[in-house]
Amino acid sequence: MRRNDSSGPARPARQRWRWRRAPLGLAVAVLLLIEVYPLLWLFLGSLKTQDEFLNRPTWALPADWLNFDNYVQAWRSGISGDLLNSALAVFPALAVIVVCGAAAGFALEVMVWKGRGGVLLLFLGGIMIPSQMILLPLFSVYFQTHLTGTLWPLILTYVATGLPLTVFMMATYCRAIPRELFEAATIDGASMLRSFWSIGLPVLANAVFTVGLVQFFFLWNDLLIAMTFTSGSGHDELATVQVGLLSFQGRFGTVQYGPTMAAICLNVLITLVLYLFLNQRVMKGMTAGAVKG
Amino acid sequence: MRQVLGDRKTIAVLLAPALICYSLIMLAPMIWSLGYTFFTGNPIRGFSFAGLANFDTLLHDPKTGQALAFTVKYAVTVTVGQVVLGYLLALLYVFHLKRSSGLVRTLVFFPVVLPTVAVSLLFQKLFAIVPQDGPVNSVLQLFGAESVNWFGSGAKAFLVIALMDIWRSMGFYGVLLYAGLVDIPDDVIESARLDGAGGWRLARAVVLPLSSPVLISALIFSINGTLKVFDSIYALTGGGPGSLTSPLTLHMYRTAFAYGDYGYGATIALTLTICCLLVTVAVFRGSRKDLLA
């Protein structure tokens, strides 16, 4: 029986069905409005002057569509420095997380040894631990080893907090590699270390990219750790993008709507562009890492 | 082959970097943090032994009680909101939009990857009353209601926080639950339809029982995540007005870094960790098969 063969006897039922779908169509429209309008409003707002904010209704369109003064002002307030800090902290941490995480996941899933279940559980436990539990001792250590005032505390903490989920996800992906690949390589005389490097990693390339992408969003959007280790000690020059955005209104003194909106827009832009190109992969990766909560 | 896969040196080389990093920067500080609960002070002033004083304070401190109550209220509200709306979205994707749900799914998921700080600042503006009514108050006025000072009382601020976090994450739970729903075999639903079950009855008697495992997992992930909420509330209300919207995480942060009491801060962090662990036990009972198969 063909699937789309539902016309014929079922016709009256189908028509009733369509009738009942109208409210659902409306619901979808409202849903999209709720999801998209705030962001649209944000973008429109970033093009408005202070005068427009105060004297025109909030849903009015900007008077001048090419008014990028707000962006210029926002950029001049130090966003470029924040961006550099974020990049310098996030990307090295990301590289370490992904490589070490893949290696550990490989050791825990492909290699056969006693106690690997226990070690995997140990990593899994780290996913549940709230960061608050480790911040205070880390702050003491970084303070005593004079790392405070550099980006090192941020990088180290990011690596450690990113590892548990990465190891867990990599172990899951390793499960799907056919073991025959490694048998063949071993017969050809390759060591397991070499097999990991020249077979495991290439086979896992897709997974590595997905996991890296997921971790990128976690680290790039992080506020708690960045705030604790950069702004807590009076080092404003170390602020990451998120910390910088939060203190943005402070930097401007009075409430300047336009530049704030432009700064938020710039902040959203990076994730927007990434999401635009990689949304299917992001959705897959994020839901696979749902254990993180 | 067993011997090659069990080679201790290879295992050590692959596992060591991740395990050492994780142990030094997460496990050790955790235990250290436990030690802090018996002390008072901070790394700059120095520590002094306090015995069980911190735990005594914990039991009698009205602020901690308030923060714990807020955390639970927030976790329950947002979890129910996220999962129920996420489930409705998933049902919408599978049974109404069917194959054309891709675009809607992608759009509704988008806020998940947006920086929390950016979303919080955006919602501050959406619900603003000064210097000018934001869209929400403008809509209220359109219907003849008065503008509301959303951040003026604890209850209203809580409402905005909950709305924001549900807005941010319902797309995530939509996709997560969607993955569970598409796994339900078509012929099961088809035969239920032929038996005369339609709409509500079909959903309640067939779809809901079949999707309950993934639904329970989603519930647990969500509770575990919402208990740890920090970034969004810190950036949106700063815990205010007063400390009426301060969850445990924020209370701990203030205690440790604003009042310089690491000992008591660690005690609050421990309370939070215990809450999360209780949920973790539930994670294992609920989804052991998925995690450790």
Side-chain angles (χ1 to χ4, degrees), chain B residues 6-260:
Chain B
D7 181 40
R8 284 178 179 279
K9 219 177 101 196
T10 313
I11 294 167
V13 170
L14 287 172
L15 190 62
L19 194 60
I20 290 172
C21 196
Y22 173 64
S23 306
L24 283 182
I25 309 181
M26 274 198 92
L27 295 181
M30 246 193 74
I31 293 161
W32 194 333
S33 192
L34 281 180
Y36 271 165
T37 58
F38 302 107
F39 287 83
T40 179
N42 63 45
I44 297 157
R45 265 197 283 129
F47 288 93
S48 56
F49 188 70
L52 293 172
N54 285 324
F55 292 96
D56 192 50
T57 321
L58 185 74
L59 293 175
H60 300 104
D61 179 9
K63 273 198 163 172
T64 304
Q66 195 189 36
L68 181 64
F70 180 85
T71 302
V72 171
K73 185 169 93 166
Y74 170 88
V76 170
T77 311
V78 174
T79 295
V80 169
Q82 281 174 345
V83 176
V84 168
L85 285 176
Y87 194 63
L88 289 178
L89 281 177
L91 288 174
L92 182 81
Y93 298 155
V94 177
F95 294 111
H96 178 56
L97 298 172
K98 296 183 183 150
R99 303 221 191 298
S100 60
S101 73
L103 181 68
V104 179
R105 251 185 299 150
T106 310
L107 277 176
V108 180
F109 191 91
F110 177 48
V112 176
V113 299
L114 290 178
T116 319
V117 179
V119 174
S120 299
L121 293 185
L122 170 63
F123 268 68
Q124 267 181 12
K125 308 276 175 287
L126 284 174
F127 286 81
I129 187 166
V130 281
Q132 184 214 29
D133 282 323
V136 173
N137 275 333
S138 299
V139 168
L140 282 181
Q141 282 187 338
L142 205 66
F143 288 107
E146 298 232 337
S147 290
V148 175
N149 181 6
W150 290 98
F151 300 103
S153 84
K156 285 179 208 130
F158 174 76
L159 192 69
V160 179
I161 293 169
L163 280 177
M164 178 178 88
D165 277 333
I166 293 170
W167 179 82
R168 233 158 46 85
S169 52
M170 65 181 182
F172 176 81
Y173 287 93
V175 171
L176 190 71
L177 293 166
Y178 169 80
L181 282 184
V182 286
D183 282 347
I184 298 177
D186 274 348
D187 42 342
V188 173
I189 289 166
E190 210 53 45
S191 62
R193 273 222 176 103
L194 287 177
D195 287 345
W200 183 238
R201 210 180 124 75
L202 181 76
R204 221 194 44 191
V206 180
V207 179
L208 198 59
L210 283 176
S211 58
S212 63
V214 65
L215 205 54
I216 289 169
S217 308
L219 213 57
I220 294 165
F221 295 151
S222 174
I223 295 173
N224 198 43
T226 48
L227 282 176
K228 297 183 208 163
V229 64
F230 177 86
D231 292 6
S232 61
I233 294 183
Y234 186 87
L236 184 66
T237 68
S243 59
L244 287 174
T245 59
S246 293
L248 277 178
T249 50
L250 202 90
H251 181 46
M252 174 269 170
Y253 194 84
R254 289 259 153 81
T255 306
F257 294 114
Y259 305 123

Side-chain angles (χ1 to χ4, degrees), chain A residues 138-252:
Chain A
L138 286 180
F139 195 89
S140 302
V141 172
Y142 295 144
F143 181 76
Q144 263 144 28
T145 49
H146 302 289
L147 287 176
T148 316
T150 66
L151 283 173
W152 281 107
L154 219 53
I155 299 174
L156 291 171
T157 316
Y158 280 161
V159 169
T161 51
L163 271 176
L165 183 67
T166 310
V167 170
F168 171 66
M169 287 174 81
M170 292 316 295
T172 315
Y173 287 123
C174 280
R175 205 169 294 161
I177 307 177
R179 297 297 189 270
E180 290 78 11
L181 281 179
F182 302 116
E183 279 172 29
T186 307
I187 290 165
D188 286 346
S191 69
M192 271 321 274
L193 219 50
R194 207 198 137 100
S195 291
F196 165 69
W197 194 254
S198 357
I199 300 173
L201 271 186
V203 170
L204 286 172
N206 249 328
V208 167
F209 186 74
T210 305
V211 174
L213 200 61
V214 169
Q215 290 294 342
F216 170 81
F217 283 116
F218 286 144
L219 299 187
W220 188 262
N221 295 346
D222 160 73
L223 175 67
L224 175 63
I225 294 170
M227 202 166 65
T228 307
F229 295 125
T230 62
S231 68
S233 45
H235 294 281
D236 272 351
E237 75 277 5
L238 288 178
T240 62
V241 179
Q242 309 308 336
V243 175
L245 180 62
L246 197 57
S247 65
F248 191 83
Q249 279 160 314
R251 285 189 205 172
F252 266 78

